[in-house]
Amino acid sequence: MLGALVCAVVALLLALIATVFVHAWPSFAHNGLSWFGPGGNVDDQMEAISLSAQTGAGYVYTFHAWPLIWSTILITGGAVTIALVSALFSAVFIIEFAPTWMSNILQPVVRFLASVPSVIYGLIGVVVIVPFIGNHFVTEPQKASVAGVISLTGYSLLAAVTVLTVMIAPLMVSIFSDGLRAVKPGWLEGSLALGVNRWRTTWKIGVRSARPAIVAGTVLAVARATGEAVMLAMISGSVGFAPNPADGLIFIYEPSRPLAPTIVKNIDQLSSKPANATLFAIAAVLLFSGAMVSLAGHIARRAMRKYGSA
Amino acid sequence: MRSKTLAIAAITLLGLAAPASAGAVTLIGSGSVAAQPVLQALFATYTKKVNHKVHFTYVADGGNAGVKDVQNGTSQFAGQARTPLPSDAGTTYIKFYLDGLCMDVNPKNSLSNITIQQTHDIYRGLLTNWSQVPGSGLDTTIDPVGRDTNGGTYNFFLQAVLNNEPPASNVNALTADGLVVNAVKQDPNSIGYAGLAWQKKGLKTLKVNGVPCKASKISVEPLKYPLSRYIFLVLPGDGSSSPKALVKFIDWARRSKLAGETILKAGGVPAFNKK
């Protein structure tokens, strides 16, 4: 009975993957590897794709997704990096250093934060963070320097990374602290008994043996960040623009749109066959990267198994 | 035992499906892309709240193609955003509702009137600084905001202001009318467009070519407000051969209060509906 259930779940998963890739195939088949490359304005391409179903002059599939992929890499990478560092120190503090009464309060708070629906963060982003960045951080000369190309109105990398960090950090803290708590007390006590100070003990024994949990938490956070759609659709800016670090500081104020929000934004075009294929192609890329991240996490955890269980 | 359960399930399913198909009518339409969001909202409201048995399919293949579909009988009605042309012989145009867009700026902007040409230049990226728009009292970079391609307001703006040229890349395309309004409220340098239903506190509604954006100006003939136009439904012949269900629907959509609210919510301006 349970075996049948497992088989059914696996079959369902395979069916899901097959559906996505079958729908996506025309888009990949037409563009080949240049699907992932730069070239032209991705928004204009998407519009041409959607409209081509109505003109009767044959479907258009040309799509170069690099600005969307680059935006996904920047936003996810930025948020996960910042969240990893801050979450690690927060977890160490909660488990090893905070007085009992404080960690008794902090732990449920962190758990609660980790479960707040992302659309709420999106709302706060739109009404508080985006206008704040637009009205206080971005200066007039900066706006004038890119006038006519993009608008620096607060819908930006900075807003997206900030809100995404706040969104995924509690998840990481929560998993990291579970990992730290599971470290065998004997190991820590042994180190302390040898006269090693508390900070060094925590860092060299506690954090080191909790590494599998840290990898697991990071993998989950990367997955959540890559797949985040609604919140980013609200605050990342909706232009298919590739922010260029060579532009200097202004780069963090530039708008962009990652892969997942692109699906949300164009959902009305699903009835257009070529647009449907393109959106499924984006979904396939997200699905594939999700699988790769979880595989990488699995391999990393295997390599660390000797340090402890998690 | 198992086969009995299956049989019961099958009968129940049939029982559920049967009343839905009995006497059901599907009305087939095609035409204007600009009218699609409002039409689809009306279809949904009608099927859900007025008559469960009437269903609609609508293919947004463009107004001209829609009229052709009506002429050769593949569609029972068409949505159309332009006035009749000689090539539309053998069809009847019915005034359905109005498209009306207001141009909005932040209250900190002292501009009170904008021309269609200025609006065009701003959204095409030709004017990028408020100092290029006399009367604004600002010398900052313009932040134009608009809808993404899913919105009916986007389609109307594209045709009425941009001559079907795509907006410049510095136009921030937001996913909902409410977000456009929110952006204009919060950013002193922005300009945006939204339907009548959105004109509330915190926004400054501009006159366009000197005509204020008010329901009284949008829906009263002759249409003096530049960003307003009729959306028509096109029927074959003189309209008398149309199925009864369609005639009933059109009457409901043009007159009832519920339909008026639906049109307003979807971005149009009701023309004849009870208030």
Side-chain angles (χ1 to χ4, degrees):
Chain A
M1 186 62 202
L2 274 177
L5 201 65
V6 170
C7 288
V9 169
V10 172
L12 208 63
L13 184 66
L14 290 177
L16 169 88
I17 294 171
T19 312
V20 169
F21 278 89
V22 165
H23 275 93
W25 181 246
S27 183
F28 288 130
H30 184 279
N31 290 295
L33 275 181
S34 71
W35 195 96
F36 300 93
N41 181 328
V42 72
D43 288 333
D44 292 350
Q45 288 162 2
M46 191 67 215
E47 195 164 350
I49 290 169
S50 307
L51 290 178
S52 71
Q54 294 167 8
T55 55
Y59 293 160
V60 172
Y61 281 107
T62 308
F63 192 68
H64 301 296
W66 176 247
L68 312 177
I69 297 171
W70 177 232
S71 164
T72 310
I73 295 172
L74 280 176
I75 292 178
T76 307
V80 170
T81 313
I82 301 171
L84 177 61
V85 175
S86 50
L88 186 55
F89 283 101
S90 308
V92 166
F93 174 75
I94 291 174
I95 296 302
E96 303 287 346
F97 295 96
T100 317
W101 64 267
M102 199 189 269
S103 65
N104 281 348
I105 297 174
L106 282 176
Q107 285 182 47
V109 167
V110 166
R111 253 164 243 261
F112 170 71
L113 280 177
S115 63
V116 172
S118 64
V119 69
I120 295 177
Y121 288 117
L123 277 178
I124 293 173
V126 155
V127 298
V128 182
I129 296 181
V130 166
F132 187 80
I133 292 174
N135 295 335
H136 297 283
F137 288 5
V138 182
T139 60
E140 184 50 37
Q142 286 173 337
K143 288 174 77 167
S145 70
V146 291
V149 184
I150 42 169
S151 284
L152 305 182
T153 46
Y155 293 91
S156 56
L157 273 185
L158 181 63
V161 169
T162 309
V163 178
L164 195 57
T165 305
V166 171
M167 206 182 99
I168 61 177
L171 183 75
M172 293 169 102
V173 173
S174 161
I175 295 171
F176 292 178
S177 41
D178 284 347
L180 285 170
R181 208 176 298 116
V183 174
K184 292 185 180 70
W187 294 5
L188 298 173
E189 283 159 13
S191 167
L192 290 172
L194 288 173
V196 180
N197 71 30
R198 206 172 159 194
W199 174 247
R200 206 173 156 78
T201 300
T202 306
W203 199 246
K204 292 282 176 184
I205 313 277
V207 172
R208 189 168 276 214
S209 37
R211 281 202 307 205
I214 292 170
V215 172
T218 311
V219 165
L220 268 181
V222 172
R224 195 173 177 195
T226 327
E228 180 49 48
V230 174
M231 185 277 280
L232 289 178
M234 290 164 85
I235 64 169
S236 73
S238 46
V239 193
F241 176 80
N244 185 356
D247 291 353
L249 177 68
I250 209 179
F251 144 78
I252 61 171
Y253 300 134
E254 288 174 347
S256 64
R257 192 181 64 240
L259 288 165
T262 305
I263 300 181
V264 174
K265 185 175 176 267
N266 293 293
I267 203 77
D268 279 21
Q269 313 298 336
L270 271 184
S271 58
S272 152
K273 220 174 163 210
N276 185 308
T278 310
L279 294 183
F280 269 101
I282 295 174
V285 170
L286 286 172
L287 207 57
F288 182 74
S289 61
M292 285 303 109
V293 167
S294 102
L295 184 68
H298 179 72
I299 292 168
R301 274 212 302 276
R302 266 173 73 128
M304 292 171 190
R305 193 168 280 168
K306 56 184 170 182
Y307 293 107
S309 60
Chain B
M1 181 61 206
R2 185 168 285 175
S3 60
K4 204 174 165 189
T5 323
L6 270 176
I8 292 173
I11 290 167
T12 324
L13 272 176
L14 279 176
L16 282 173
S21 59
V25 192
T26 300
L27 298 170
I28 299 159
S30 60
S32 163
V33 184
Q36 189 188 19
V38 172
L39 285 177
Q40 234 130 36
L42 283 170
F43 296 158
T45 312
Y46 192 72
T47 306
K48 214 159 112 195
K49 295 195 175 154
V50 182
N51 192 340
H52 298 285
K53 287 179 185 166
V54 180
H55 296 266
F56 299 88
T57 55
Y58 185 81
V59 183
D61 54 358
N64 295 330
V67 173
K68 286 234 165 63
D69 294 341
V70 167
Q71 281 171 329
N72 63 29
T74 48
S75 285
Q76 293 167 306
F77 64 94
Q80 174 63 288
R82 61 157 172 77
T83 47
L85 290 175
S87 63
D88 302 343
T91 59
T92 306
Y93 274 58
I94 300 177
K95 284 176 182 167
F96 198 44
Y97 65 90
L98 290 145
D99 258 346
L101 268 191
C102 299
M103 299 303 308
D104 297 299
V105 291
N106 190 278
K108 284 187 183 145
N109 193 323
S110 50
L111 197 68
S112 64
N113 178 43
I114 195 163
T115 64
I116 293 285
Q117 186 59 43
Q118 284 169 330
T119 316
H120 170 270
D121 292 351
I122 289 174
Y123 279 85
R124 287 288 296 154
L126 306 173
L127 299 179
T128 55
N129 196 296
W130 279 114
S131 61
Q132 294 163 299
V133 185
S136 65
L138 297 172
D139 56 358
T140 44
T141 305
I142 303 175
D143 297 333
V145 291
R147 279 298 311 275
D148 56 7
T149 49
N150 293 338
T153 47
Y154 170 86
N155 289 311
F156 177 40
F157 190 79
L158 200 70
Q159 289 159 11
V161 178
L162 299 180
N163 308 324
N164 279 321
E165 299 159 308
S169 58
N170 66 330
V171 177
N172 205 348
L174 303 177
T175 46
D177 290 347
L179 287 175
V180 173
V181 169
N182 176 63
V184 176
K185 272 183 188 171
Q186 286 172 332
D187 182 353
N189 304 316
S190 68
I191 179 168
Y193 53 83
L196 258 189
W198 291 102
Q199 306 307 311
K200 286 172 197 151
K201 262 191 211 156
L203 287 180
K204 185 168 176 188
T205 310
L206 298 175
K207 290 179 189 171
V208 178
N209 287 357
V211 187
C213 184
K214 284 181 186 156
S216 57
K217 297 282 176 194
I218 290 177
S219 62
V220 170
E221 293 188 69
L223 301 179
K224 277 190 187 147
Y225 182 72
L227 295 180
S228 70
R229 65 173 174 186
Y230 274 108
I231 298 293
F232 299 90
L233 270 198
V234 184
L235 298 178
D238 59 358
S240 58
S241 60
S242 294
K244 244 186 205 153
L246 180 59
V247 175
K248 264 191 180 161
F249 164 73
I250 294 174
D251 193 54
W252 169 82
R254 293 181 77 214
R255 302 200 189 284
S256 84
K257 195 179 160 194
L258 178 61
E261 286 162 4
T262 311
I263 291 172
L264 205 57
K265 230 190 230 161
V269 179
F272 315 101
N273 303 66
K274 283 185 203 126
K275 293 275 149 62

